[in-house]
Every structure is written in structure tokens, then in C-alpha cells.
Amino acid sequence: MGVGSSNLKTFKKVYIEITSVCNLACSFCPQTERKANFIKPETFNRILDQLRPHTKHIYLHVKGEPLLHPKLDELLDASHAKGFKVNITSNGTLLHKAAPKLLGKPALRQMNFSLHSFDGHEGSENREKYLGTVFSFVREAVQHGVIISFRLWNLTQDNEINRQRNRNRETLEMLEKEFSLDYRIEEKVIPGGGIKIAPNIYLNQEYEFEWPSLSAPEDDGKGFCHALRSQAAILVDGTVVPCCLDGEGVINLGNVNETPFSDIVESERANNLFYGFSRREAVEELCRKCGYRKRFGA
């Protein structure tokens, strides 16, 4: 926890979900049972005002596809006006429509493209056209100083790994060609890590993870997490949750439309979770059913 002069919790990043709607249905991403919703620009502005003492970096997603938001350009302008840098994670399929709302926006710091969504979505067709659109956007975005991260979060640790590798190979081949790489990406990248493939352009590969769910088995609850320590998240309806993996708002800490964000992250439930992880202990049921915690060691 960073401590400011007024003793407020500060975060490396806060996620603001600008829509709960997605245009794809990927196997690795459970569909939300929450109401389809888009954040209103005036609500977004109020949230930014509440976040100013806590962070300078916002990420415009939890669930949903941010490029679906019809007023994305307005949200980026508001972020810039209030001094925030913005990261966006997208499946990249809507760039042909959304690119003008993104390019040249000074608030936009980084675009993350979930390239695994192509294979994760059953209806995907024409990998070449999909990646071509992404690459064409990337060429222009880096001219504006935007950082690009390509993500392939679909490696598996079982027998399926070869099938997955073959599907990834097609994508990697196109990346190698686009960026004139003189090596095969698999030779350089290690799961959980990233490599720089061009100035300001990175590729990250990771094993597929399970979204935490209350129906999953519980473990001993030992371990550590950065929830409410370096990050927090606000769902599209204003619900504050401790991290970007609580996509259903199970750990509902309060709502920014009713209670100031500063009060919510200092509430009893929030502090119990925070100090629990200081003791390497998950106090919330959902946290005890989340495999992500194990990545930080016990």
C-alpha cells in the first residue's frame, strides 16, 4: 500500500469497467450474469474525481469489450483532462470501427490485445484478416507513443498443449512476418513472461487461468494477493471489488454512486481482506477459491 500525505490508500492501477457487454463468447471467459450496461460519461467523470487521490493509471475493463462503448473517445478525453493514463484490453475485433476514437488520444498509454480470443471464440473466421486489422492499427498507434502488448493466454499444461501450440503457431508466424523477426517466438518467450518484439511492442504468453468462482473447490486459504494493495476495480454499475478477477461482484465492498471510493477502500471488509493478505491469509471465500493467488507464492 502506498501512503499519501493524507494517508489514503494509493494503487498502481484501478480498473473501471465501462461496459459489461462483449461481442464474442470465448471459452476461457465465463459470460457475466450481470445486466448488460454501458457507463454514462457523467458517471465516469464522477468516478475519475473520486479516484484522483488514489491512482494515476486506469484500465477500462473487467469484463466486457471496451471498444463497444459508443463514447469511448469522450471517456479518453475526460481521462486526459483529469490527469489519468489509460490502459485498454481488447479482443481487437472492432478496431475497424473504433480506431478513430483511440488514435491520437493523449490519455491512451497502452493497448493490450487478447489474441487468444480468436481461437477461444467458436465463430472466428479468417485469422489473417483479423490480425491484419490489429497490425494496421498497431503501426499507427506506436507513432503516437502507445505501448502495445499482444497476449496469448491460452497455453495449457496437459495433453492439449500440442494442439494449442499448433493454433498459436499460425498467429506467431504472422507476428514474426509482420515484425520481420529472425527467430521463432517460442524460442524466446517463456510462459508467464514477455518479450519485446519491436520498439514499444511486446508479446506475453501465459497459461490459461480459471476465473475464480464460489462453486470452485476451496483450498487452505494460504497465499498472497495484490488485491486492494496495488489494484482495485469498479464494475459498470459502480460496485467496488478488490481485483479485476471478481467479474461478478461477489466481494461487493460498496458502490461509488452511493459512497465515496476513499471510504469504500477503508471499510471494515476491505481492511480485513487487506490485512489478511499481509498475514498470507485469504479471508474472503472467493479468494480461497482463486488459483491466481498461488502465483505469488505462499
Side-chain angles (χ1 to χ4, degrees), residues 110-130:
Q110 181 167 330
M111 286 290 300
N112 306 315
F113 290 110
S114 303
L115 299 185
H116 44 280
S117 57
F118 183 86
D119 288 313
H121 178 68
E122 219 174 271
S124 294
E125 43 192 55
N126 200 336
R127 187 188 308 264
E128 210 160 318
K129 187 179 175 196
Y130 162 63

Side-chain angles (χ1 to χ4, degrees), residues 14-128:
V14 174
Y15 294 82
I16 305 175
E17 182 185 66
I18 60 173
T19 178
S20 53
V21 180
C22 190
N23 61 319
L24 300 184
C26 294
S27 55
F28 53 80
C29 186
Q31 299 299 292
T32 180
E33 287 170 29
R34 293 181 287 121
K35 200 176 101 191
N37 207 343
F38 289 85
I39 204 164
K40 291 185 168 64
E42 53 272 29
T43 308
F44 185 75
N45 264 294
R46 283 199 302 274
I47 290 172
L48 292 183
D49 288 336
Q50 293 186 41
L51 291 182
R52 280 171 97 165
H54 296 276
T55 192
K56 288 280 168 274
H57 289 267
I58 54 174
Y59 286 53
L60 300 188
H61 67 282
V62 175
K63 286 288 189 77
E65 168 51 58
L67 301 197
L68 275 172
H69 200 291
K71 295 186 173 170
L72 181 58
D73 46 354
E74 280 182 41
L75 305 186
L76 286 168
D77 289 341
S79 303
H80 177 62
K82 293 179 189 291
F84 290 93
K85 286 294 181 190
V86 175
N87 285 31
I88 293 177
T89 295
S90 168
N91 58 44
T93 55
L94 301 172
L95 281 170
H96 57 295
K97 286 182 184 165
K101 294 177 182 171
L102 297 164
L103 289 166
K105 292 296 184 191
L108 185 60
R109 175 186 169 269
Q110 181 167 330
M111 286 290 300
N112 306 315
F113 290 110
S114 303
L115 299 185
H116 44 280
S117 57
F118 183 86
D119 288 313
H121 178 68
E122 219 174 271
S124 294
E125 43 192 55
N126 200 336
R127 187 188 308 264
E128 210 160 318

Side-chain angles (χ1 to χ4, degrees), residues 184-195:
R184 280 167 72 94
I185 287 169
E186 295 96 329
E187 293 163 12
K188 298 273 178 100
V189 73
I190 51 163
I195 56 166

